[in-house]
Amino acid sequence: MFSSQDKLFMERAIELAKESFDDGEVPVGAVIVQNEKIIGEGKNKVIFENDVTSHAEINAIRAASKKIKNYRLNDCSMYVTLEPCHMCAKAAVDARISSVIFAASEPKTGSIISIDNFFDKKELNHNPAYQHGLLKDESSKLLKDFFRLRR
């Protein structure tokens, strides 16, 4: 189901999530890949930037778009450690990202399989493919550890 390349890209996303953890942010990391190369990386910076939109996925999309000098990320894949929320899912749609691979599901705000099936909506002008579960235990543990320390 997942290739060794997929695993390497998700491992990088987990490294970014660990950086978020160390920064006191919810530990989520994301990478954008085109032609088997990472062209954008992002981690949560909501607190640091005082910006509710500064999710890992949005930051990775911004970085990738700047790198290739195009707001369209055709033929790109996003690897993210947590199921995207609606804001991030819509950004992936608008950027024309081809596929989204996420590690852990998000039962409270996840828009792909948990509280909605956003990418499956026929009304959208673009429907990214998606897969989930790659390194979900590692991602889930990081999130659980983070919130355990907060309580």
Side-chain angles (χ1 to χ4, degrees):
M1 184 162 155
F2 297 108
S3 71
S4 58
Q5 278 293 91
D6 290 330
K7 187 176 179 206
L8 288 173
F9 295 134
M10 188 63 79
E11 285 172 344
R12 177 60 187 147
I14 288 175
E15 288 173 13
L16 291 164
K18 288 177 181 176
E19 290 177 18
S20 287
F21 184 108
D22 293 342
D23 294 340
E25 301 272 0
V26 175
V28 179
V31 298
I32 308 286
V33 174
Q34 184 180 57
N35 299 323
E36 302 300 319
K37 292 184 180 173
I38 294 174
I39 61 166
E41 297 184 338
K43 59 186 178 179
N44 271 359
K45 291 185 173 184
V46 173
I47 297 166
F48 177 77
E49 295 192 2
N50 293 309
D51 180 356
V52 72
T53 69
S54 195
H55 289 197
E57 300 95 322
I58 300 294
N59 292 328
I61 288 169
R62 287 176 179 150
S65 294
K66 283 181 184 174
K67 171 102 175 172
I68 67 169
K69 296 177 175 45
N70 194 333
Y71 69 101
R72 296 283 193 229
L73 299 175
N74 296 316
D75 302 317
C76 290
S77 295
M78 178 191 300
Y79 293 80
V80 61
T81 60
L82 187 64
E83 181 180 2
C85 67
H86 280 91
M87 175 183 68
C88 294
K90 183 63 164 80
V93 168
D94 290 347
R96 305 296 192 270
I97 290 175
S98 298
S99 64
V100 175
I101 298 92
F102 62 92
S105 61
E106 209 324 339
K108 293 183 180 180
T109 62
S111 69
I112 312 304
I113 62 167
S114 294
I115 64 166
D116 196 1
N117 300 104
F118 186 71
F119 286 165
D120 296 330
K121 300 223 180 271
K122 294 177 183 142
E123 300 81 9
L124 295 174
N125 60 350
H126 174 73
N127 300 90
Y130 59 91
Q131 292 180 283
H132 59 92
L134 177 61
L135 301 181
K136 77 174 184 177
D137 293 339
E138 291 87 334
S139 179
S140 293
K141 181 181 181 326
L142 192 58
L143 288 155
K144 286 175 186 167
D145 290 348
F146 177 81
F147 287 110
R148 189 176 303 117
L149 288 173
R150 293 279 186 238
R151 293 187 180 114

